Amino acid sequence: MTTVVKMTPMLQQYLEIKGQFEDAILFYRMGDFYEMFFDDAITAAKVLGITLTSRSSKDDENRIPMCGVPFHSASGYLAKLIAAGHRVAICEQTEDPAAAKGIVKREVVRVLSPGVVTDSQVLDDRSNNYICALARPAKAPVYGLSFVDVSTGQCLVGEVEDPSSDGSLVLDQLTRLAPAEILLDEAETETLADLKRAITAMLPGVCFTERHSRCFSPHAATELLHEHFNVVTLDGFGCGALTSGIAAAAVIIEYVGETQKAAINHIEKLTPLDLSSYLQIDDASRRNLELTQTIIGGKREGSLLSVLDQTCTPMGARLLKHNLLFPLQELESIISRLNAVDFLYQHRDIREQLRALLSRIYDIERLNSRIMLGTCNGRDLLALRDSVVSLPDCVALLNRCAGEKFTAIAAAFDPLVDIRALLESAIHPEAPVSLREGNLIREGFNAELDELIRIQRDGRQLILSLEAKEREQSGVPKLKIGFNKVFGYYIEVSRVNLDKVPDHYIRKQTLVNAERFITPELKEFEGKVLGAEERRLELEYHLFCALRSDLAAMSERILATARALAEIDFLCSLAETARNHAYHRPLIDESDVIHIREGRHPVIERGMPTGRFVPNDILLDQEGQEVLIITGPNMAGKSTILRQTALIVLMAQMGSFVPADYARIGIVDRIFTRVGAMDDLRRGQSTFMVEMSETANILNNATSRSLVILDEIGRGTSTYDGLSIAWAVAEELAGKDDKGVKTLFATHYHELIDLALTQERVKNYSVAVREWNDSIIFLHKLIEGGTNKSYGIQVAGLAGVPAHVIQRAEEILKNIEQSEFDREGDPYIARTSKPKRGRRKTHPNQLPLFQPSPDQVREFIQRLSVDDLTPRQAMEALYTLKGLCSLKESN
Ligand code: ADP
Ligand code: MG
């Protein structure tokens, strides 16, 4: 920062406050503006696109960069700064400038950062906005994680055991909820540097905030939480056994309390996040499957979320997103959700009525937080009023829904009738955004206020009668009563009538043609009217604040209802989507089977005319169909089949119907994907390295209950390297722990077809194409049996590569194919130094692969003079050859 030799007192105050908020941009209130100075001004001017000016400090040589934004439109600018990842400290004038002696007192009243904003201008109402804390106790590899959404009061606490050296497991959990801000222990800056880099690569724009180590001490944490929740044990939240998780939660609660400078009682409980109880899905797979955003562009549109989301409220939309990121693993909970969706699916009338009601309900959850934080305004309370109006009808409909899920929802649902009555009587129907302009409180709510309103309203009438009275008494017919800001009310008498002015008139102002007077009576009247106005504003503000704290005291009920509404909305949305897009209820059990008939890709089918998408069947079991090798040319539809299978499993486990005619899903513990195309360059690793580390992760962590999707692995290296790796990986998955792992393996290495010859659990499939003249037609149909045709050149032709280049390619291909095999005509791939698990004993096609070098056979053939053979001798020669072969094999 520039040092300024002589500073004005204002600047001195500025620098003093700024010193306490070094890492934030300071919004320094001056009259109707927030001003920024020095580096803050330079940064803000750039981000906000506003003019950078300068201000003289004392002497003109040291001019200070500055910029400012008007107070009344500050929220838009704040939103921009926060979206750009900045922290902003808002410094207000804390005393009346008129009453101030010397420089006006100022104080930072709130600090906003990406993780703690509650402003609706900054937040996406269909997503949670999380701040996260990561705690790592010195020894055990157990990370504590906590996520808080300040705008809704949700506080999740969990622990992740991550013995890996690079923290990849904790990274998966940390990025799952895509927090906007992460709090870290400042003492861990170095140990966590790599992790931080990895996080930044996955969550660009995330804001890190370092906190003092003291905040992370588990002991202090427990105390802080006891105090915050006013409890003596955290067992009641199911969090008694957590340590580092508790530390993380406490770090956030303390930080939020500090920055919001307000009671944060709306964070009213801890919700344990037992991360292992959900279907595990790592960060790469979440991206690959485009669950909540597309790979290209990171857009919501085109993701699974966007095709499933038919919610009517922001609360419902957030819950849907959450449930999509945390699919279930427990049979009973899945079935209970499915039953509820099924009911709403069957009962169209109830569903439609519920959705119509939900559409009229605002974001009660976030409204409640603003009430608790004291940042809500009259409009917010009107929105709350308009929302609660629909609640009794919701209850009536809920009572018509059958099933345990609905019973549980109904039990938590409070129609908030008293709140509705309170709001209807209290809030002025045209309440403005501002709290200081009046018109907040309705007439009839408070007797004193009513009286003040009456005085104001009657003021006009009183003036007219006073005017009439003065005219009569003075005999001046044209006497007028007027008002201006300088003198207040006055009586105006034109020059010609000045002689008639009574003695008690007090002269105030002389104009060209008239003079203005006041009287004690007029001033008394003025005092009453103007005083009424002022008192009214003050009183309304106080009544509003009182109302707000009354509502805050009821927040638990409001929140419970908000969450019940979210649940109803979520279930209705799944039912609605199922209806609109011909989804069917999946059969969920604890078997090892995944059986899908006529399955479709939920996103791709939407981009096509109805009926154009070709449905496919998939059967995976732990027997003959454990690892499916899927071959077929580029563009045939391999990746689509892989992804749709993973998506169907995931949807089923979140309780949704699925895009298939029939689906039996044996519950899966983890979904792994390794998808070749579109690699993560941001991570700064080479494509091949990323691919291999993901593959390693799969091999190390997949269990017999996992579903593995491998799309074209081994692409990033030379053909033979790649092929060998692919082969070994598939072999390992088929035999892992003697049970194997359910795997769909799409590959362009058609050599892998031969794997089925040696592995019982491996089966070949291919995606059919039809040859048509020199070209091919994609049928997108999965059929049994592999294909060894890659049709690369035909696909190139379809893509518009010029004909003569295609011709030349065909020529080259022929040359290569001739030399692809060694002189024995043998592929090497299948050879091994040790016996294979699950190898088939005999198979007619197995011979050419595992036969030793056929010297004698070759010799025999070389000696054969083909032209001289009779048909009978030819037959005999064949038998001899056959004999030689079986001799070899039995060796
Ligand atoms: P591959 O992985 O075999 O190269 P993709 O799965 O990427 O092929 O599919 C290529 C394109 O083919 C998709 O973008 C889609 O437009 C179309 N496609 C794939 N599967 C189907 C299907 N079952 N029905 C209709 N079109 C499909
Ligand atoms: Mg593909």
Side-chain angles (χ1 to χ4, degrees):
M1 204 175 279
T2 334
T3 20
V4 181
V5 193
K6 279 185 192 164
M7 281 180 304
T8 61
M10 193 267 326
L11 262 180
Q12 261 167 14
Q13 182 192 46
Y14 171 86
L15 288 175
E16 201 174 293
I17 298 175
K18 173 71 195 174
Q20 301 159 26
F21 296 90
E22 286 285 1
D23 58 349
I25 291 179
L26 188 66
F27 263 40
Y28 184 81
R29 180 73 179 269
M30 292 176 76
D32 283 341
F33 278 81
Y34 288 115
E35 303 289 3
M36 285 152 275
F37 302 102
F38 302 107
D39 291 351
D40 282 2
I42 296 170
T43 312
K46 204 183 296 158
V47 175
L48 301 175
I50 55 177
T51 321
L52 185 66
T53 58
S54 63
R55 175 191 180 97
S56 117
S57 54
K58 252 293 179 319
D59 51 292
D60 266 358
E61 273 152 44
N62 277 318
R63 293 190 73 83
I64 301 165
M66 79 176 250
C67 65
V69 299
F71 151 76
H72 59 84
S73 58
S75 57
Y77 293 108
L78 277 172
K80 255 192 171 168
L81 285 169
I82 301 223
H86 293 287
R87 191 188 305 279
V88 182
I90 300 182
C91 175
E92 294 289 358
Q93 299 174 172
T94 47
E95 65 178 341
D96 185 351
K101 292 196 192 79
I103 191 103
V104 185
K105 270 205 200 99
R106 290 183 172 85
E107 226 175 275
V108 169
V109 296
R110 279 175 89 194
V111 182
L112 298 178
S113 60
V116 297
V117 277
T118 51
D119 194 316
S120 47
Q121 286 207 37
V122 185
L123 298 175
D124 167 10
D125 61 2
R126 304 183 85 77
S127 292
N128 281 104
N129 186 59
Y130 287 110
I131 177 163
C132 163
L134 177 69
R136 201 181 66 135
K139 291 188 195 86
V142 179
Y143 291 82
L145 271 183
S146 177
F147 295 89
V148 169
D149 184 340
V150 181
S151 69
T152 66
Q154 187 188 28
C155 177
L156 306 168
V157 191
E159 287 179 355
V160 191
E161 193 175 336
D162 187 356
S164 73
S165 56
D166 58 352
S168 59
L169 293 179
V170 75
L171 194 61
D172 284 338
Q173 298 301 352
L174 208 154
T175 50
R176 170 139 42 175
L177 291 173
E181 182 172 355
I182 300 174
L183 306 180
L184 299 169
D185 186 341
E186 62 175 17
E188 301 262 7
T189 311
E190 266 170 42
T191 37
L192 295 178
D194 286 344
L195 192 64
K196 245 171 107 172
R197 246 191 307 281
I199 295 171
T200 317
M202 289 173 173
L203 303 172
V206 68
C207 156
F208 291 100
T209 303
E210 289 183 352
R211 301 287 290 166
H212 198 282
S213 294
R214 161 185 53 76
C215 311
F216 286 81
S217 127
H219 180 69
T222 313
E223 257 175 37
L224 188 141
L225 293 180
H226 283 175
E227 195 176 321
H228 176 85
F229 295 112
N230 198 14
V231 292
V232 291
T233 162
L234 300 175
D235 291 348
F237 301 125
C239 296
L242 303 180
T243 53
S244 55
I246 292 297
V251 168
I252 302 185
I253 302 248
E254 190 182 27
Y255 175 75
V256 174
E258 233 174 79
T259 53
Q260 297 306 289
K261 311 254 176 194
I264 42 163
N265 301 333
H266 67 303
I267 303 174
E268 47 165 28
K269 63 171 185 186
L270 297 174
T271 306
L273 189 58
D274 177 5
L275 297 162
S276 61
S277 72
Y278 298 100
L279 169 64
Q280 297 295 299
I281 173 156
D282 57 283
D283 184 73
S285 301
R286 275 196 298 272
R287 279 166 205 278
N288 288 337
L289 294 173
E290 307 192 299
L291 297 188
T292 58
Q293 57 181 55
T294 55
I295 297 176
I296 303 172
K299 290 201 273 297
R300 183 185 180 105
E301 200 54 42
S303 67
L304 178 62
L305 179 62
S306 76
V307 305
L308 290 184
D309 190 355
Q310 288 291 328
T311 54
C312 307
T313 68
M315 287 106 50
R318 292 194 293 268
L319 182 63
L320 176 74
K321 184 172 176 186
H322 182 91
N323 287 342
L324 180 64
L325 292 171
F326 292 93
L328 305 173
Q329 240 195 89
E330 198 215 3
L331 183 64
E332 266 165 39
S333 332
I334 301 174
I335 293 197
S336 152
R337 263 195 209 164
L338 278 171
N339 286 342
V341 174
D342 206 348
F343 180 89
L344 293 168
Y345 177 89
Q346 308 285 349
H347 295 82
R348 183 188 183 139
D349 56 326
I350 297 186
R351 184 177 80 238
E352 283 180 352
Q353 289 176 51
L354 274 173
R355 297 186 74 230
L357 289 175
L358 288 166
S359 312
R360 295 209 287 269
I361 294 178
Y362 292 87
D363 197 340
I364 304 185
E365 205 177 14
R366 282 190 174 157
L367 287 174
N368 181 65
S369 297
R370 288 211 285 281
I371 291 172
M372 298 293 284
L373 289 168
T375 55
C376 76
N377 58 33
R379 298 266 169 88
D380 290 332
L381 294 193
L382 286 176
L384 182 60
R385 179 199 68 181
D386 294 344
S387 304
V388 294
V389 168
S390 309
L391 299 183
D393 289 344
C394 281
V395 175
L397 283 168
L398 255 183
N399 289 335
R400 288 171 58 198
C401 298
E404 50 165 9
K405 191 100 206 155
F406 295 110
T407 317
I409 296 173
F413 200 105
D414 187 329
L416 306 177
V417 189
D418 51 338
I419 291 184
R420 172 182 175 180
L422 176 63
L423 289 172
E424 280 180 344
S425 65
I427 292 290
H428 193 290
E430 270 132 41
V433 173
S434 159
L435 299 186
R436 297 289 190 173
E437 287 167 20
N439 273 342
L440 280 175
I441 303 292
R442 200 179 184 132
E443 261 187 274
F445 182 68
N446 176 282
E448 193 189 342
L449 179 63
D450 287 353
E451 171 66 13
L452 295 171
I453 294 174
R454 197 190 55 76
I455 293 173
Q456 262 193 296
R457 188 180 302 139
D458 294 350
R460 176 107 209 107
Q461 195 50 51
L462 284 173
I463 292 275
L464 289 177
S465 52
L466 196 68
E467 198 177 59
K469 195 182 87 182
E470 292 295 337
R471 276 179 189 169
E472 203 188 296
Q473 284 181 357
S474 64
V476 181
K478 283 190 176 158
L479 173 150
K480 280 191 307 194
I481 295 185
F483 178 82
N484 76 21
K485 278 197 171 153
V486 183
F487 302 113
Y489 286 95
Y490 55 82
I491 299 172
E492 188 173 300
V493 179
S494 58
R495 200 159 280 280
V496 288
N497 289 317
L498 282 181
D499 54 330
K500 293 185 184 144
V501 168
D503 291 346
H504 68 281
Y505 277 27
I506 304 159
R507 189 188 314 264
K508 267 287 168 189
Q509 194 183 15
T510 304
L511 307 176
V512 185
N513 291 319
E515 301 231 334
R516 288 174 176 176
F517 303 90
I518 56 170
T519 67
E521 194 187 359
L522 188 62
K523 281 296 126 178
E524 190 194 318
F525 161 81
E526 181 184 296
K528 217 165 163 188
V529 173
L530 294 185
E533 159 108 29
E534 221 165 84
R535 281 216 308 286
R536 174 185 169 175
L537 294 185
E538 196 57 32
L539 181 61
E540 286 206 50
Y541 178 74
H542 280 295
L543 288 172
F544 184 86
C545 292
L547 178 65
R548 197 162 62 188
S549 32
D550 286 350
L551 290 168
M554 298 190 261
S555 108
E556 210 168 309
R557 289 166 55 209
I558 301 177
L559 262 188
T561 302
R563 283 165 191 168
L565 287 166
E567 192 79 26
I568 300 172
D569 198 10
F570 162 71
L571 296 168
C572 279
S573 168
L574 290 184
E576 182 74 11
T577 306
R579 266 287 173 220
N580 293 344
H581 301 283
Y583 291 1
H584 287 100
R585 178 175 178 155
L587 202 76
I588 309 280
D589 57 26
E590 285 172 337
S591 69
D592 287 323
V593 176
I594 291 177
H595 188 187
I596 297 166
R597 278 206 299 263
E598 302 278 290
R600 289 129 37 207
H601 190 297
V603 180
I604 295 183
E605 75 163 342
R606 296 277 185 99
M608 295 182 173
T610 320
R612 183 71 65 83
F613 189 89
V614 182
N616 275 304
D617 300 348
I618 284 283
L619 172 62
L620 286 161
D621 56 30
Q622 218 107 57
E623 288 146 33
Q625 304 243 114
E626 172 97 90
V627 175
L628 308 188
I629 305 282
I630 300 175
T631 40
N634 278 320
M635 290 301 287
K638 301 181 295 297
S639 302
T640 306
I641 289 169
L642 263 52
R643 285 152 179 267
Q644 86 190 30
T645 307
L647 292 178
I648 286 172
V649 168
L650 190 143
M651 286 167 72
Q653 289 190 214
M654 80 179 274
S656 170
F657 283 21
V658 296
D661 283 2
Y662 166 89
R664 178 180 173 200
I665 311 291
I667 292 174
V668 161
D669 66 350
R670 295 185 71 152
I671 293 179
F672 292 94
T673 65
R674 158 84 289 268
V675 174
M678 290 308 304
D679 275 311
D680 219 335
L681 296 174
R682 287 171 303 165
R683 279 217 253 174
Q685 286 174 333
S686 77
T687 311
F688 183 65
M689 192 61 195
V690 173
E691 182 176 332
M692 285 305 114
S693 59
E694 287 182 16
T695 305
N697 174 33
I698 295 173
L699 294 177
N700 291 327
N701 296 307
T703 74
S704 64
R705 305 205 66 92
S706 305
L707 172 66
V708 174
I709 299 294
L710 294 173
D711 199 348
E712 310 269 17
I713 79 161
R715 235 188 193 176
T717 183
S718 81
T719 312
Y720 287 115
D721 278 6
L723 173 55
S724 320
I725 293 171
W727 183 286
V729 166
E731 219 170 49
E732 169 69 13
L733 286 169
K736 194 167 191 237
D737 301 332
D738 281 334
K739 276 183 134 179
V741 182
K742 288 185 278 290
T743 304
L744 295 180
F745 196 145
T747 182
H748 62 290
Y749 295 124
H750 33 74
E751 291 87 345
L752 285 192
I753 296 169
D754 291 341
L755 192 60
L757 305 178
T758 63
Q759 298 283 333
E760 278 167 358
R761 298 199 187 101
V762 176
K763 186 134 183 187
N764 284 315
Y765 280 86
S766 57
V767 189
V769 293
R770 179 177 295 155
E771 294 185 37
W772 179 254
N773 298 332
D774 274 347
S775 187
I776 49 169
I777 297 169
F778 297 111
L779 302 180
H780 302 304
K781 198 75 190 167
L782 189 68
I783 51 172
E784 276 194 48
T787 175
N788 56 8
K789 294 197 169 168
S790 58
Y791 296 104
I793 293 175
Q794 283 87 339
V795 175
L798 287 176
V801 175
H804 65 276
V805 178
I806 296 287
Q807 267 169 23
R808 176 66 183 140
E810 276 166 352
E811 226 174 80
I812 296 168
L813 178 67
K814 273 201 196 95
N815 296 342
I816 295 171
E817 274 175 350
Q818 277 161 12
S819 53
E820 199 177 59
F821 304 96
D822 61 13
R823 285 175 46 198
E824 284 84 30
D826 235 3
Y828 299 104
I829 324 158
R831 292 184 188 159
T832 175
S833 55
K834 39 175 207 222
K836 284 285 178 316
R837 282 172 290 195
R839 175 190 282 190
R840 238 169 234 181
K841 290 284 170 296
T842 54
H843 190 286
N845 294 340
Q846 198 172 335
L847 296 179
L849 270 177
F850 294 97
Q851 192 180 13
S853 159
D855 301 336
Q856 287 169 286
V857 179
R858 182 202 296 264
E859 230 169 87
F860 178 79
I861 294 174
Q862 273 168 351
R863 272 194 271 116
L864 221 56
S865 162
V866 180
D867 288 340
D868 300 329
L869 294 179
T870 65
R872 198 197 152 92
Q873 285 168 329
M875 276 301 276
E876 273 168 7
L878 275 177
Y879 278 115
T880 315
L881 271 174
K882 186 97 176 115
L884 279 173
C885 289
S886 39
L887 200 87
K888 275 275 169 209
E889 206 201 359
S890 59
N891 282 344

